[in-house]
């Protein structure tokens, strides 16, 4: 794996992680209701959930990679289209962030378990990883080494992203409640995702 491939994975993963999906809405809800103390348990739960979903997805991708080069190439095209779809959806999302404060007393262990369940059991998570990861895999490289590097990188980014969202929601609540700020964020992220999908498709065509 080249450094350029890893850097591209980091950039794309960062944009994708910052999209406010069910996991981030849960993190923000707890932080709005119970403050900064939620940041660590929620971030650990998110990382564990992503580890579960990503491992299951990578094992499935490994089986596809071993079975058929044609299927694996088709999966890359599907992944590129999926990135464009996510970008368009995010761009049109507007400025709403539907996260209500959770004020019920919850232990750190329960917060972590809740974050893990929401992240790991979301069918979209596995679908996302199956469509996204093949864009960066080298079919001729060692699969397990690539799997280790990509998982470690993504989990570190997922932890940092959830932690950051929790701190911002706890200390700068007006930002996550500001429709204009959310709209700008969504449109910027959507544009970047569309660009990533188009660039990926262009690379596939070039090959």
């Amino acid at each position: 794996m080249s450094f350029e491939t890893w850097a591209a994975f980091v950039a794309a993963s960062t944009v994708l992680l910052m999209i406010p999906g069910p996991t981030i809405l849960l993190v923000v809800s707890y932080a709005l209701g119970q403050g900064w103390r939620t940041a660590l348990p929620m971030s650990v739960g998110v990382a564990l959930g992503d580890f579960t979903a990503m491992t299951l997805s990578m094992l499935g991708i490994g089986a596809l990679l071993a079975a058929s080069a044609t299927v694996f190439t088709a999966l890359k095209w599907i992944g590129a289209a999926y990135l464009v779809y996510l970008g368009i959806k995010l761009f049109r999302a507007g400025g709403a962030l539907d996260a209500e404060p959770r004020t019920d007393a919850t232990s750190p262990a329960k917060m972590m378990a809740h974050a893990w369940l929401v992240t790991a059991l979301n069918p979209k998570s596995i679908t996302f990883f199956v469509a996204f990861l093949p864009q960066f895999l080298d079919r001729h490289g060692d699969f397990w080494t690539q799997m280790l590097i990509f998982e470690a990188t993504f989990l570190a980014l997922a932890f940092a992203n959830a932690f950051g969202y929790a701190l911002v929601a706890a200390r700068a609540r007006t930002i996550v409640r500001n429709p204009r700020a959310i709209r700008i964020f969504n449109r910027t992220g959507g544009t970047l995702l569309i660009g990533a999908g188009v660039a990926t498709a262009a690379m596939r065509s070039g090959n």
Side-chain angles (χ1 to χ4, degrees), residues 24 30-31 37 74 76 107 114 123 135 146 152-153 163 178 183 197:
I24 292 304
Y30 272 108
R37 76 182 187 89
K76 288 194 172 190
S107 68
H114 195 179
Q135 312 305 314
Q146 294 180 81
T153 300
F163 198 88
N178 187 324
R183 187 179 298 109

Side-chain angles (χ1 to χ4, degrees), residues 26-179:
L26 182 69
V27 170
V28 171
S29 294
Y30 272 108
L32 287 173
Q34 303 183 41
W36 62 269
R37 76 182 187 89
T38 64
L40 183 59
M42 293 300 291
S43 301
V44 171
V46 170
L48 290 175
D50 277 326
F51 172 76
T52 302
M54 195 173 187
T55 299
L56 292 174
S57 302
M58 289 288 276
L59 292 175
I61 291 170
L64 285 174
L65 188 149
S68 171
T70 302
V71 172
F72 189 69
T73 300
L75 195 60
K76 288 194 172 190
W77 277 104
I78 293 171
Y82 187 55
L83 289 178
V84 173
Y85 164 76
L86 288 177
I88 294 172
K89 185 177 180 181
L90 182 61
F91 190 90
R92 300 175 61 185
L97 188 61
D98 187 18
E100 295 299 324
R102 289 177 175 265
T103 56
D104 50 309
T106 307
S107 68
K110 287 185 178 180
M111 289 183 201
M112 184 172 67
H114 195 179
W116 173 76
L117 283 172
V118 170
T119 306
L121 301 183
N122 182 1
K124 291 183 179 179
S125 295
I126 295 179
T127 302
F128 158 70
F129 285 127
V130 169
F132 176 66
L133 289 171
Q135 312 305 314
F136 305 94
L137 284 173
D138 180 2
R139 190 170 188 274
H140 302 290
D142 182 74
F143 174 76
W144 296 107
T145 300
Q146 294 180 81
M147 179 176 172
L148 177 63
I149 293 172
F150 284 138
E151 282 214 38
T153 300
F154 192 89
L155 296 182
L157 293 172
F159 178 91
N161 182 64
F163 198 88
Y165 260 108
L167 291 183
V168 169
R171 297 182 178 274
R173 301 183 181 192
T174 55
I175 294 178
V176 297
R177 296 289 194 181
N178 187 324

